[in-house]
Amino acid sequence: QVQLVESGGGSVQAGGSLRLSCAASGYIYSSYCMGWFRQAPGKEREGVAAIDSDGSTSYADSVKGRFTISQDNANDILYLQMNSLKPEDTAMYYCAADLWECTVVAGNGPRDNWWGQGTQVTVSS
């Protein structure tokens, strides 16, 4: 079983930055693909970024150049550095472990439904 706990969300003005963290515990293997997803009110959950065990990354077009996904394998922590935030980035952000595809594509998600509880990000204009 895997437990994921996100932190670091909050309210910022447009142009600001936040860093989300996701602490993983349980049977986390370094070979797992990890990812960040988000869901805005009234919208479907969408992929934001993914990182493979070799460090390769994938991003949604809407966040490329602004967000950076990284991981601390020694401590099983996943990060999402978010810069130049926009009001349209407002959403609940979730981390997920062991994705079907280690890329940002529609319909992707964790094989065994390993989701965190989410952390809210609100960006005001």
Side-chain angles (χ1 to χ4, degrees):
Q1 190 66 11
V2 170
Q3 295 81 41
L4 304 169
V5 179
E6 301 97 335
S7 61
S11 297
V12 296
Q13 291 191 326
S17 298
L18 285 172
R19 188 176 80 156
L20 306 184
S21 299
C22 173
S25 60
Y27 295 109
I28 287 288
Y29 295 101
S30 60
S31 61
Y32 284 168
C33 174
M34 305 288 291
W36 287 97
F37 294 75
R38 67 186 181 186
Q39 187 169 20
K43 295 187 177 181
E44 292 187 355
R45 184 150 46 188
E46 62 177 1
V48 175
I51 185 165
D52 208 341
S53 55
D54 64 359
S56 58
T57 58
S58 176
Y59 296 93
D61 288 343
S62 59
V63 306
K64 280 181 182 176
R66 301 188 297 122
F67 290 12
T68 303
I69 187 172
S70 61
Q71 58 188 0
D72 177 352
N73 288 326
N75 295 296
D76 290 333
I77 301 175
L78 182 70
Y79 297 103
L80 185 68
Q81 178 67 43
M82 305 186 295
N83 299 327
S84 302
L85 282 161
K86 303 176 181 180
E88 51 263 44
D89 294 319
T90 295
M92 186 72 80
Y93 283 71
Y94 301 88
C95 68
D98 196 20
L99 306 186
W100 285 104
E101 300 282 348
C102 209
T103 186
V104 176
V105 292
N108 197 16
R111 296 172 189 266
D112 292 303
N113 210 35
W114 290 335
W115 296 100
Q117 85 288 352
T119 186
Q120 177 69 37
V121 171
T122 302
V123 184
S124 58
S125 57

